[in-house]
Amino acid sequence: MNKNSSNTQAYLSHRDALVNYATPITGCRARAEDIVQEAFLKVIPHESTQKNAIAYLYRTVRNLAIDMVRRSVMEDKHQDAEKISWLEPTSSSDPEQMNSQRDELQSIAQAIAALPNSERRAIEMHRLNGQSMAEIAQELGVSIATVHRLIRSALATISGALDESTS
């Protein structure tokens, strides 16, 4: 039996235990299965003995699972930080509130229309079309840093216009 088939057998015999080990860390069995497979691809081909390979595999599964959880938390924080209240849809049956919302939307639309073309396109592509900054940069022919600056500037302008309309 060669090294690779021996390592594959070791993986197959420990796979369920590794998935069970990773599931509480990731909070999701499907993610745990992905982590175990990734660990196998990283560890097993490089280990020479089955005993060392399994110990190293458990450590790798744990580390990958923790990294995935940390990355997920950071992505959630980043997405929460980017949420802007006036972009969230609201529903109300109160005529006064509906009228106020209509005025706010009109102010936002006017502020967007008054933006320089590059800022307007960048904010529309990012916030309305859901395109990434890399996609916008490629389409506009500018750097990602420039796209970030355009979007930040547009949001500041729109927010300022919204503040003026409510005061």
Side-chain angles (χ1 to χ4, degrees):
M1 184 182 278
N2 69 22
K3 177 183 164 186
N4 286 339
S5 64
S6 171
N7 290 338
T8 302
Q9 285 296 11
Y11 165 73
L12 292 174
S13 65
H14 289 85
R15 184 186 172 285
D16 289 336
L18 287 164
V19 170
N20 290 337
Y21 178 67
T23 299
I25 299 171
T26 62
C28 174
R29 186 162 180 87
R31 286 182 182 158
E33 289 173 353
D34 290 343
I35 295 290
V36 170
Q37 183 175 2
E38 183 178 348
F40 172 72
L41 294 174
K42 285 184 175 188
V43 173
I44 293 295
H46 304 293
E47 287 298 312
S48 58
T49 66
Q50 180 176 340
K51 189 172 187 173
N52 288 340
I54 297 305
Y56 192 57
L57 188 58
Y58 269 93
R59 174 62 74 181
T60 303
V61 165
R62 180 182 179 278
N63 291 344
L64 288 172
I66 290 171
D67 288 348
M68 188 272 313
V69 169
R70 286 180 182 156
R71 186 174 43 250
S72 179
V73 167
M74 289 302 292
E75 288 171 356
D76 290 346
K77 280 184 183 179
H78 182 68
Q79 287 176 349
D80 288 344
E82 282 193 359
K83 287 185 180 176
I84 297 176
S85 63
W86 48 264
L87 285 176
E88 298 294 320
T90 59
S91 61
S92 174
S93 58
D94 179 27
E96 185 177 324
Q97 193 173 16
M98 288 174 59
N99 207 18
S100 174
Q101 288 174 353
R102 191 175 309 120
D103 290 344
E104 286 178 359
L105 285 174
Q106 186 174 7
S107 295
I108 292 169
Q110 288 172 346
I112 291 173
L115 289 171
N117 188 44
S118 57
E119 287 183 18
R120 182 184 48 75
R121 285 188 63 206
I123 194 74
E124 287 174 347
M125 292 166 72
H126 185 63
R127 294 295 180 163
L128 302 177
N129 298 343
Q131 291 177 282
S132 71
M133 289 192 189
E135 292 169 334
I136 297 168
Q138 184 177 10
E139 191 166 323
L140 295 180
V142 297
S143 69
I144 293 174
T146 300
V147 170
H148 182 71
R149 182 186 52 77
L150 291 171
I151 291 171
R152 188 180 65 236
S153 176
L155 287 174
T157 302
I158 294 167
S159 183
L162 189 58
D163 286 343
E164 287 176 14
S165 73
T166 58
S167 43

